[in-house]
């Protein structure tokens, strides 16, 4: 866990956190508003985000909500001037992993980030997703249906991985668009339906169930 996204619009604080983290061996990127922060976080290129609540554009609560609605599990440490119990509870229940208030000591922030590192290191890495006779190898990026090996395009792989990580759950077109193509993709596009049909051709029509008016589900 060495790639940290810092979502902070106050330049002095962003620079302070960035310099401290870089001095401790982390790679950092600063996002000055909520729209940039969400876009960066959805790429999957970061291991943790330090998130301010009072961001321009999307505020921190909105960024956090849209991340979790997109099933992005990126650890988030909120760093904010808001110190009410109501805000803290809303943030933690909304998907934040930790909550710190400003002013803060950098040593405490660093300790909390390292705690997330240790937690992630203890979690066993999943390399094979399975649902019945359907498997997806995350290392080779290949699927197997029954005894057939199935080659997937990059988008098909991400889409199938999303279904396999949420078996039995109905995923809306908006959720799929956000996760696979990015939050700013045209919501009126039928690209999700096109790719679901492609997966059905490769894996079998029974693999993905249409839930009318709601989305798709891996039974």
């Amino acid at each position: 866990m060495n790639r940290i996204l810092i979502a902070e619009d106050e330049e002095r604080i962003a620079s302070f956190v960035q310099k401290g983290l870089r001095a401790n061996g982390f790679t950092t990127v600063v996002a000055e508003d909520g729209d940039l922060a969400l876009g960066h976080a959805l790429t999957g290129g970061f291991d943790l985000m330090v998130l301010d609540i009072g961001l321009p554009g999307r505020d921190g609560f909105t960024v956090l909500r849209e991340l979790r609605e997109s099933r992005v599990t990126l650890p988030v440490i909120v760093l904010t001037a808001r110190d009410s119990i109501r805000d803290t509870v809303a943030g933690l229940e909304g998907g934040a992993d930790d909550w710190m208030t400003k002013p803060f000591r950098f040593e405490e922030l660093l300790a909390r980030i390292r705690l997330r590192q240790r937690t992630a290191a203890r979690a066993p890495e999943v390399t094979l997703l399975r649902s019945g006779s359907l498997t997806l190898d995350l290392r080779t990026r290949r699927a197997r249906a029954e005894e057939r090996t199935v080659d997937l395009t990059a988008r098909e792989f991400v889409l199938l991985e999303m279904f396999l990580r949420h078996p039995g759950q109905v995923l809306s077109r908006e959720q799929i668009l956000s996760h696979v193509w990015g939050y700013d993709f045209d919501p009126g596009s039928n690209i999700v339906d096109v790719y679901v049909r492609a997966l059905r051709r490769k894996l079998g029509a029974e693999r993905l169930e249409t839930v009318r008016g709601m989305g798709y589900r891996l039974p």
Side-chain angles (χ1 to χ4, degrees), residues 7-9 30-38 55-58 63 183:
E8 172 63 63
D9 65 313
V30 173
E32 299 85 2
D33 62 54
D35 298 337
L36 281 173
L38 182 61
L55 294 171
R58 288 174 169 86
V63 171
Y183 73 97

Side-chain angles (χ1 to χ4, degrees), residues 127-138 141-152 156-157 159-168 198-209 217-219:
T127 60
L128 189 69
L129 301 177
R130 182 186 300 275
S131 177
S133 60
L134 174 64
T135 61
L136 182 67
D137 192 316
L138 303 182
R141 303 178 74 86
R142 284 186 173 180
R144 287 184 65 83
E146 305 297 342
E147 296 301 317
R148 296 183 297 110
T149 298
V150 181
D151 291 321
L152 302 171
E156 289 169 350
F157 172 84
L159 178 58
L160 181 57
E161 180 185 2
M162 186 180 186
F163 279 117
L164 283 166
R165 288 190 184 277
H166 303 92
L199 280 180
R200 283 171 170 163
R201 285 196 300 270
K202 290 186 176 183
L203 304 174
E206 74 285 356
R207 298 290 184 182
L208 297 175
E209 177 184 358
R217 173 173 57 197
L218 181 71

Side-chain angles (χ1 to χ4, degrees), residues 61-96:
F61 284 125
T62 303
V63 171
L64 188 57
R65 185 186 72 250
E66 293 190 24
L67 272 181
R68 298 318 185 211
E69 286 177 352
S70 299
R71 304 294 185 260
V72 175
T73 59
L74 176 72
V76 175
I77 296 177
V78 171
L79 182 62
T80 178
R82 301 191 188 188
D83 59 359
S84 73
I85 295 297
R86 181 177 180 179
D87 282 336
T88 304
V89 170
L92 293 173
E93 290 187 346

